Amino acid sequence: MQISKLPKLSESIFSTMSALANQYDAINLSQGFPNFKTSEKLQQLVTEAMQNGHNQYAPMRGDLELREVIAHKIYKSHQTQYNPLTEITITAGATEALFNAITAFVHQNDEVIIFKPAFDSYEPVVELNGGVPVFIQLNYPDYKINWDEVASKINSKTKMMIVNTPLNPTGTLFTNNDMLALQNLIKNTNIIVLSDEVYEHMTYDGLLHESACKYPTLKEHSFVIASFGKTFHNTGWKIGYTAAPKHLMDEFIKVHEFNVFSINTPYQKAFATYIQDENNYNYLNQFYQDKRNLFLDGIKNSKFTFTPTKGTYFQLLKYDTITQENDVDFAKRLVKEFRIATIPISVFNTNQLDEKVLRFCFAKTDETIKKATEILCQIH
Ligand code: PMP
Ligand code: GLN
């Protein structure tokens, strides 16, 4: 008898590489988190909320003021309205939101289309629910989507499609044409779109984030998932939210209610105040673009090759001019010999396709970025 529901799953690459980085005292550009501080003001708001007695259960869907503030933020960014009472839920990070949306809708043998390379939270949750992941592999360096191929994978069993823009780990963006193609494919179907938009505030070179909620038909089919951890430099706080039309959210909250019931109260109170000021997030595109540029400038004379990332706080570097080692082995060697930790991309690909590409997180202080690029220039 099979005991495990996820027999193929082993430790995540994020845990492996961060542990190796600690063991070898390496610069950790692997797991995606900033090494600079979250805002003092935000920390102060959390403390005040605790001191003011906001320490008991929050409403199941989240603090209402926070949901109202989020609805307003989405309206300002994308000119579309969600009802804060019924169409927005605060979650324990984007991770909980992904779990809820997949679990609420995917039945045994339902198919879920996933683009590869993909963030590692999607596939196991589909499998836990008895669903069947259907992969579409995209390729370095453009990771361009062939929408005819996507159309060919859709059939009567297709329940859901998971999209991620800006895309982790590739650093690519869905364009306006991609969104229109997606909308065209799912109109007149019951397919649900899980739109993972946790890097919404990290797009570069004047390119814009295309949210699923901007496209009216797409919006009707979509969960839009966001992460405060990613946006506000506090991944350890594990807060995010999901917006979706009522008919989808009604099912989502049935899982949320029995998964966590509600999210920690004082942090929600703090975000409700903090997010009201656009200046607390409008600077992010430029802020991270400067970091990306510092990183790319630092490695321009190295042997790595690259296409500048368009979004997320990750940069991919190809190393086939340095070695033909497989990417997992090379990543491990970089930690041990050069004291720099990265993420090998093959772990996110179908059949561990190895295109000799590593992912580097540049959400780091300028000092760390400079030290890291000096090391990268020494690798021949
Ligand atoms: N989606 C993507 C694409 C991610 O990179 C991450 C990692 N932060 C998550 C979801 C999970 O976000 P959170 O930390 O808010 O759970
Ligand atoms: N999203 C983070 C990354 O891609 C990792 C989150 C996690 O460790 N689960 O690096």
Side-chain angles (χ1 to χ4, degrees):
M1 195 180 63
Q2 177 65 264
I3 292 176
S4 172
K5 289 181 91 176
L6 295 169
K8 289 180 302 183
L9 214 63
S10 50
E11 183 184 62
S12 96
I13 192 70
F14 304 116
S15 307
T16 306
M17 294 311 294
S18 276
L20 260 188
N22 288 339
Q23 186 186 339
Y24 285 89
D25 197 22
I27 296 181
N28 189 359
L29 306 191
S30 64
Q31 198 176 21
F33 62 87
N35 74 340
F36 42 85
K37 289 189 180 142
T38 190
S39 132
E40 292 288 339
K41 170 77 188 154
L42 186 54
Q43 294 180 54
Q44 195 189 330
L45 288 167
V46 173
T47 309
E48 277 168 23
M50 287 179 178
Q51 286 166 346
N52 291 336
H54 296 294
N55 297 303
Q56 307 307 329
Y57 292 126
M60 188 267 282
R61 291 169 188 260
D63 180 80
L64 183 56
E65 189 191 2
L66 176 57
R67 286 184 279 146
E68 285 166 351
V69 169
I70 290 168
H72 185 61
K73 174 177 185 288
I74 296 175
Y75 184 76
K76 269 191 306 186
S77 309
H78 306 302
Q79 293 73 52
T80 190
Q81 195 72 56
Y82 284 100
N83 182 342
L85 291 175
T86 53
E87 299 187 315
I88 291 175
T89 301
I90 312 302
T91 61
T95 308
E96 194 230 337
L98 293 165
F99 184 89
N100 294 352
I102 296 169
T103 302
F105 288 95
V106 174
H107 294 246
Q108 192 78 25
N109 298 327
D110 280 350
E111 294 188 1
V112 178
I113 294 179
I114 296 177
F115 295 93
K116 292 280 203 159
F119 181 58
D120 67 346
S121 283
Y122 311 144
E123 186 180 334
V125 186
V126 171
E127 288 179 344
L128 264 182
N129 286 287
V132 180
V134 173
F135 300 120
I136 296 179
Q137 178 68 50
L138 310 178
N139 294 99
Y140 185 89
D142 298 330
Y143 298 96
K144 214 173 154 32
I145 297 172
N146 175 345
W147 288 100
D148 291 335
E149 184 189 353
V150 183
S152 76
K153 302 273 185 184
I154 291 180
N155 61 51
S156 58
K157 291 191 198 150
T158 311
K159 173 59 65 73
M160 184 177 272
M161 203 184 286
I162 303 181
V163 297
N164 172 214
T165 183
L167 204 163
N168 174 15
T170 65
T172 51
L173 305 176
F174 276 51
T175 61
N176 173 249
N177 280 342
D178 287 323
M179 300 309 272
L180 292 172
L182 173 61
Q183 175 165 260
N184 197 37
L185 271 189
I186 52 99
K187 74 169 191 234
N188 306 324
T189 73
N190 291 322
I191 296 173
I192 294 162
V193 174
L194 204 54
S195 189
D196 179 342
E197 304 184 9
V198 302
Y199 300 99
E200 62 185 318
H201 290 291
M202 296 159 210
T203 65
Y204 311 126
D205 305 322
L207 295 167
L208 296 180
H209 167 58
E210 294 286 349
S211 175
C213 73
K214 268 171 41 184
Y215 298 80
T217 306
L218 191 50
K219 179 185 174 190
E220 279 309 297
H221 289 245
S222 296
F223 286 99
V224 172
I225 292 178
S227 166
F228 292 156
K230 290 286 162 182
T231 302
F232 298 108
H233 323 311
N234 44 44
T235 57
W237 292 7
K238 293 300 296 187
I239 302 196
Y241 70 85
T242 297
K246 181 175 181 305
H247 67 279
L248 296 180
M249 192 54 92
D250 283 350
E251 296 302 313
F252 178 99
I253 55 155
K254 291 178 187 170
V255 182
H256 172 73
E257 179 161 18
F258 297 103
N259 190 356
V260 295
F261 184 73
S262 65
I263 306 308
N264 57 76
T265 306
Y267 292 80
Q268 294 193 61
K269 289 282 175 203
F271 279 118
T273 304
Y274 191 70
I275 293 174
Q276 286 180 36
D277 184 353
E278 291 180 34
N279 294 322
N280 288 330
Y281 54 87
N282 274 351
Y283 71 99
L284 286 167
N285 290 337
Q286 190 63 48
F287 173 78
Y288 278 117
Q289 181 172 307
D290 290 345
K291 292 203 177 288
R292 179 205 64 173
N293 290 350
L294 183 68
F295 182 75
L296 292 182
D297 194 49
I299 58 155
K300 65 176 188 286
N301 296 323
S302 77
K303 289 201 78 185
F304 291 93
T305 55
F306 59 85
T307 303
T309 198
K310 297 185 172 80
T312 74
Y313 49 43
F314 304 114
Q315 174 66 49
L316 297 187
L317 299 185
K318 193 163 171 92
Y319 63 82
D320 60 345
T321 51
I322 299 173
T323 171
Q324 291 304 310
E325 274 168 283
N326 100 22
D327 63 354
V328 175
D329 291 343
F330 186 49
K332 288 185 176 163
R333 186 160 73 84
L334 286 187
V335 183
K336 293 174 189 167
E337 281 181 24
F338 292 93
R339 305 271 188 274
I340 187 155
T342 66
I343 296 286
I345 294 304
S346 66
V347 297
F348 305 122
N349 282 338
T350 11
N351 302 322
Q352 276 71 52
L353 171 73
D354 174 19
E355 295 186 298
K356 314 281 178 231
V357 180
L358 300 175
R359 190 195 81 174
F360 295 74
C361 174
F362 55 79
K364 304 293 164 191
T365 61
D366 291 357
E367 190 196 351
T368 303
I369 294 175
K370 282 183 196 146
K371 270 196 209 148
T373 56
E374 280 163 22
I375 295 176
L376 292 174
C377 287
Q378 291 160 19
I379 302 171
H380 295 286

